[in-house]
Amino acid sequence: STSTISAITSSGNSNNKKNSQKQSINKSNENNQIITQNKTPPNSKPKSNTGRLRLLPPLQPTNEILSRAQRQTYNEIKDDTSIANIRRRTQKRGAQTIDSLCQKLCLPLKNTVQTYRREFRIMHPFEKVVMELTIQSRQKKDGLTLYKLLDDIHEGRKELLQLGKDWISKIK
């Protein structure tokens, strides 16, 4: 019986030792985490807002936009077999095709205009000056400003959507 008591106490001691080791490891991990979280260089500078010019997306070629829109429209639009009248089925497919094609053509234009306008608002002052100088030299060469060009793209996009709606109403 003394051997069982000594075995129980020794196993209890080993469990207590293991628990105390785990607790000390957890405490040291917590201390390390707190230390690493609070470590900041004394002379650290806030992250700058430069490099926006490199992040501007390149303009997509028109043939790429058109071919992607046609391919996606062709893959998405199918005949509605629930309509028995062939003429009405074709009208519905034509209207859906025009609508889908217009939307897929306008989406990249809208994203481009929004991205450029957003980036101009939040651009670093030095990069704004560089961009304005580039725009001014381009304006002297071509007579177009970037803001005018973005407005023209936006107006063309709206006109394309309106034309699509007009053609869809004529089909129906």
Side-chain angles (χ1 to χ4, degrees):
S1 72
T2 57
S3 63
T4 56
I5 294 174
S6 64
I8 292 172
T9 56
S10 66
S11 66
N13 288 341
S14 65
N15 286 338
N16 288 339
K17 288 178 184 178
K18 289 179 183 177
N19 288 337
S20 65
Q21 287 174 350
K22 286 181 183 178
Q23 289 174 353
S24 65
I25 290 172
N26 288 337
K27 286 181 183 178
S28 65
N29 286 342
E30 289 174 7
N31 290 339
N32 288 340
Q33 288 175 354
I34 291 171
I35 291 170
T36 57
Q37 288 175 357
N38 292 335
K39 277 188 179 179
T40 55
N43 294 331
S44 66
K45 295 180 182 178
K47 191 172 183 179
S48 67
N49 195 20
T50 59
R52 293 270 184 196
L53 289 175
R54 288 181 300 216
L55 297 178
L56 287 174
L59 298 177
Q60 298 175 356
T62 55
N63 57 354
E64 183 180 319
I65 293 172
L66 182 61
S67 65
R68 184 182 311 122
Q70 287 174 336
R71 184 179 62 246
Q72 289 176 350
T73 300
Y74 177 76
N75 291 335
E76 287 179 6
I77 306 299
K78 304 293 180 198
D79 279 342
D80 189 3
T81 56
S82 65
I83 301 174
N85 189 340
I86 296 174
R87 181 174 184 225
R88 292 195 192 277
R89 185 185 313 161
T90 307
Q91 284 176 344
K92 181 176 180 181
R93 182 176 179 166
Q96 287 176 338
T97 302
I98 290 173
D99 183 46
S100 177
L101 191 61
C102 287
Q103 288 178 1
K104 297 207 182 315
L105 286 173
C106 290
L107 186 64
L109 300 176
K110 178 182 176 183
N111 289 340
T112 300
V113 170
Q114 285 179 347
T115 302
Y116 274 82
R117 287 186 178 161
R118 180 182 61 243
E119 292 299 324
F120 289 149
R121 280 195 305 268
I122 59 176
M123 198 175 282
H124 189 270
F126 174 74
E127 289 181 329
K128 277 186 182 180
V129 170
V130 171
M131 181 59 88
E132 288 173 2
L133 290 172
T134 306
I135 291 171
Q136 287 175 0
S137 69
R138 188 76 180 179
Q139 183 180 5
K140 289 179 182 178
K141 182 180 177 184
D142 298 335
L144 286 175
T145 64
L146 184 63
Y147 301 109
K148 174 77 170 126
L149 188 62
L150 289 175
D151 288 339
D152 289 346
I153 292 172
H154 182 66
E155 290 300 318
R157 182 188 68 82
K158 289 193 318 189
E159 188 175 325
L160 178 63
L161 283 174
Q162 186 60 41
L163 282 172
K165 289 178 185 177
D166 290 345
W167 280 103
I168 289 172
S169 67
K170 287 180 183 179
I171 288 174
K172 294 181 178 182

